[in-house]
Amino acid sequence: MRYVFGNWKMNGTIAFTRDYVKALLNEVRPATVQVALFPPFTALSNMADAVNGSFVKFGSQNMYFEESGAFTGEISPAMLEEIGVDYVLLGHSERRHIFNESDELLMKKLEAAHRHNFPVVFCIGETLDERKSGVTKDVIKRQLILVKDLLRLGDLVAYEPVWAIGTGVTPTMDEIAESISWVKDYLKTDIPVLYGGSVNKGNAKDIAAINIVDGALVGGASLKVDEFAIIIKAFGENN
Ligand code: PGA
């Protein structure tokens, strides 16, 4: 099984969600690819209805670790449970860098997700400065060290170099293979490791051809249903 997950970020209205899922279900019927969509919180309920009974799973882009209380603007695990999300995405680089989420906070979120039996998509990745100064492995290790022993069957890790996200620039295929294999060696589990960062219809085949890449976390290109369908097909063909 491979995984093609679409992270819509702060895009996608309720109307967009309905139209998109209808179109996607007409476009693809993957037998060997697990597809999941991560719309904004405001569209999660509608996403639940739209994908109901289909091959498409869905999840939230974030979650707070407390159960309830005075945490203005936050969403609790119980709220997501009520909607029935299949996954919770944690540690996306935009959460880490724009909203200053720390490794410690992300560990608490991961524990809370597990208490509610949500599989987690845990994102990691180095910045350009970190790559240039040769500390990529150290950064990845630091991001994983607190959660390494907590990750469990059903969870996924997404390796997304920050400098590749939304830039149209990707690492070389060798660099992707090297980083993913390093993550897998470090984790020493069978947890699938996805690649993310400027995956699009032009490079999906090449990335899918790297055997140890278990799938893709797609941002911008997942907003266009035809392009997302091409990416899903690329990963299906390379199983
Ligand atoms: P991108 O985003 O595909 O737009 O680069 C990937 C991500 O942020 O998950």
Side-chain angles (χ1 to χ4, degrees):
M1 179 63 76
R2 291 179 114 187
Y3 305 83
V4 177
F5 287 3
N7 171 18
W8 288 0
K9 310 191 181 189
M10 201 173 71
N11 300 289
T13 60
I14 291 168
F16 174 89
T17 301
R18 288 199 195 109
D19 294 347
Y20 182 103
V21 173
K22 208 181 276 175
L24 185 67
L25 296 180
N26 279 333
E27 285 271 340
V28 282
R29 202 168 295 269
T32 53
V33 182
Q34 179 60 64
V35 176
L37 294 169
F38 295 77
F41 286 126
T42 47
L44 278 175
S45 276
N46 305 84
M47 180 63 85
D49 292 341
V51 302
N52 188 22
S54 78
F55 64 87
V56 181
K57 293 190 185 285
F58 74 108
S60 66
Q61 298 172 15
N62 187 21
M63 183 199 77
Y64 198 51
F65 64 87
E66 294 282 4
E67 296 298 319
S68 64
F71 304 102
T72 301
E74 294 297 321
I75 300 287
S76 78
M79 293 167 183
L80 296 177
E81 202 166 277
E82 188 179 33
I83 293 173
V85 300
D86 299 301
Y87 295 101
V88 173
L89 189 76
L90 293 177
H92 188 276
S93 78
E94 286 144 23
R95 298 301 317 172
R96 291 177 185 271
H97 297 289
I98 303 174
F99 301 101
N100 295 319
E101 294 198 358
S102 66
D103 296 320
E104 288 73 20
L105 174 70
L106 292 169
M107 181 182 73
K108 287 186 187 169
K109 290 187 173 194
L110 183 113
E111 287 172 332
H114 282 172
R115 277 200 298 279
H116 287 260
N117 291 319
F118 295 131
V120 164
V121 183
F122 195 80
C123 305
I124 55 170
E126 81 288 359
T127 64
L128 189 56
D129 281 351
E130 289 163 343
R131 173 158 286 245
K132 280 186 180 157
S133 42
V135 296
T136 298
K137 280 190 183 180
D138 301 323
V139 171
I140 291 174
K141 192 169 158 189
R142 195 208 71 223
Q143 292 172 334
L144 284 175
I145 202 155
L146 293 176
V147 298
K148 183 179 189 287
D149 296 330
L150 302 175
L151 290 168
R152 63 190 195 193
L153 201 70
D155 291 337
L156 301 99
V157 168
Y159 167 69
E160 302 196 293
V162 180
W163 49 276
I165 295 178
T167 58
V169 179
T170 60
T172 65
M173 297 307 127
D174 285 349
E175 285 169 336
I176 293 176
E178 192 188 10
S179 306
I180 301 262
S181 79
W182 194 83
V183 172
K184 288 189 173 190
D185 286 350
Y186 181 69
L187 289 175
K188 289 201 176 53
T189 60
D190 292 333
I191 286 176
V193 182
L194 317 186
Y195 168 78
S198 294
V199 178
N200 58 42
K201 62 181 176 191
N203 59 24
K205 252 191 190 331
D206 289 342
I207 296 170
I210 310 171
N211 271 336
I212 58 161
V213 175
D214 295 306
L217 181 55
V218 187
S222 74
L223 290 168
K224 296 172 216 135
V225 73
D226 339 350
E227 179 150 11
F228 194 53
I230 292 171
I231 298 169
I232 294 168
K233 285 176 191 160
F235 276 85
E237 279 163 16
N238 278 288
N239 270 285

